[in-house]
Amino acid sequence: MSYNNPNTGSGSRTASGRFEFGRTHVVRPKGKHQATIVWLHGLGDKGSSWSQLLETLPLPNIKWICPTAPSRPVALFGGFPCTAWFDMGDISEDAPDDMEGLDASAAHVANLLSTEPADIKLGVGGFSMGAATALYSATCRVLGQYGNGNPYPVNLSAIVGLSGWLPCSRTLRNRMEGSHEAARHAASLPILLCHGLVDDVVAHKHGEKSAQTLSAAGFRNLMFRTYNGLGHYTIPEETDEVCTWLTASLGLEGSRSY
């Protein structure tokens, strides 16, 4: 797989060795605030790229929070630094998962959502590596804990992943087995996955396999949509589907049932 023109940075670490997250951009709801969604950008991108698009969507009841990932060395680029939610090499079932990076980003997302009012529905979405982080957050929510065992603190009501994949897919089913609570949460958590059939960065087969793995692990409220002719980007047809799905799944004002 390949990424073009990464937005490079210095790979700054804090004194504790943790990577610092970048600037967060917020899109305020234009109508009654009913839901808050953290939206995560792709590798080498920044939060403002997506906040500008999300602001144009006809979803007046949603507040969007668009953080920026830390700049860190990425194995895919031979250790060259760029904004990334976690370290990664090639996408494959055999590739090692950066559990520390995944947990740190999932915790950052949860912290952003934890201060929202109690009556507001919460969600996570993203594109490419951001979608992978959103799906990892979904597994943390269902299992009730991060990969390191610390408790996951927020209740998620919707997950959206565009052109992404599922990290830690090899171990998910084993971790789910034996937990009735995890099975119950998985069955009720709405997930929308969208993928372009001619994606040359994150191949369609990775998105399809991720959806199959999630379904086999008990995520029954899952929709996987394929777009013919779509590469590694988004199009109005896809964002329209996201709007319709979020409105129905979150019960937003003006929603219509399928």
Side-chain angles (χ1 to χ4, degrees):
M1 61 177 287
S2 61
Y3 282 87
N4 295 323
N5 300 322
N7 191 15
T8 60
S10 61
S12 59
R13 281 179 181 258
T14 63
S16 65
R18 295 180 180 275
F19 290 101
E20 291 185 6
F21 288 86
R23 184 177 175 189
T24 297
H25 300 262
V26 177
V27 178
R28 305 281 175 191
K30 298 177 180 67
K32 179 184 176 184
H33 183 197
Q34 293 181 282
T36 296
I37 297 176
V38 171
W39 190 269
L40 305 170
H41 63 74
L43 180 61
D45 205 355
K46 54 190 176 182
S48 60
S49 299
W50 281 93
S51 65
Q52 293 167 14
L53 171 64
L54 296 170
E55 196 166 16
T56 68
L57 299 184
L59 293 168
N61 308 115
I62 293 181
K63 171 184 173 182
W64 300 95
I65 303 177
C66 303
T68 299
S71 183
R72 71 174 83 213
V74 176
L76 182 67
F77 299 137
F80 200 73
C82 69
T83 53
W85 299 110
F86 51 91
D87 190 16
M88 64 171 290
D90 287 333
I91 298 176
S92 76
E93 292 234 344
D94 301 321
D97 291 297
D98 174 19
M99 297 304 302
E100 186 179 0
L102 284 162
D103 278 344
S105 290
H108 186 66
V109 169
N111 288 340
L112 290 171
L113 291 170
S114 65
T115 56
E116 292 299 293
D119 61 336
I120 299 300
K121 292 181 178 178
L122 308 176
V124 187
F127 175 79
S128 193
M129 177 183 259
T133 307
L135 287 177
Y136 183 72
S137 296
T139 63
C140 292
R141 158 65 187 120
V142 164
L143 292 164
Q145 61 183 23
Y146 297 102
N148 61 18
N150 291 335
Y152 188 79
V154 295
N155 182 25
L156 300 178
S157 298
I159 302 291
V160 178
L162 310 183
S163 308
W165 71 95
L166 173 66
C168 310
S169 60
R170 297 184 306 279
T171 59
L172 178 60
R173 200 164 176 178
N174 286 341
R175 294 183 70 200
M176 291 283 296
E177 285 178 356
S179 173
H180 295 298
E181 189 173 3
R184 183 169 54 85
H185 288 315
S188 62
L189 178 60
I191 299 178
L192 173 65
L193 301 180
C194 302
H195 218 111
L197 194 59
V198 293
D199 192 326
D200 59 350
V201 178
V202 180
H204 179 269
K205 66 179 181 181
H206 293 305
E208 191 172 42
K209 182 70 186 301
S210 296
Q212 291 168 354
T213 300
L214 287 164
S215 295
F219 289 80
R220 298 198 184 100
N221 194 353
L222 184 150
M223 177 185 292
F224 182 73
R225 291 282 285 112
T226 295
Y227 295 85
N228 294 327
L230 178 63
H232 199 65
Y233 48 88
T234 189
I235 53 174
E237 181 187 354
E238 186 180 48
T239 53
D240 287 350
E241 178 121 31
V242 170
C243 291
T244 302
W245 185 86
L246 282 172
T247 299
S249 296
L250 295 173
L252 303 180
E253 288 185 355
S255 66
R256 58 184 186 275
S257 59
Y258 291 171

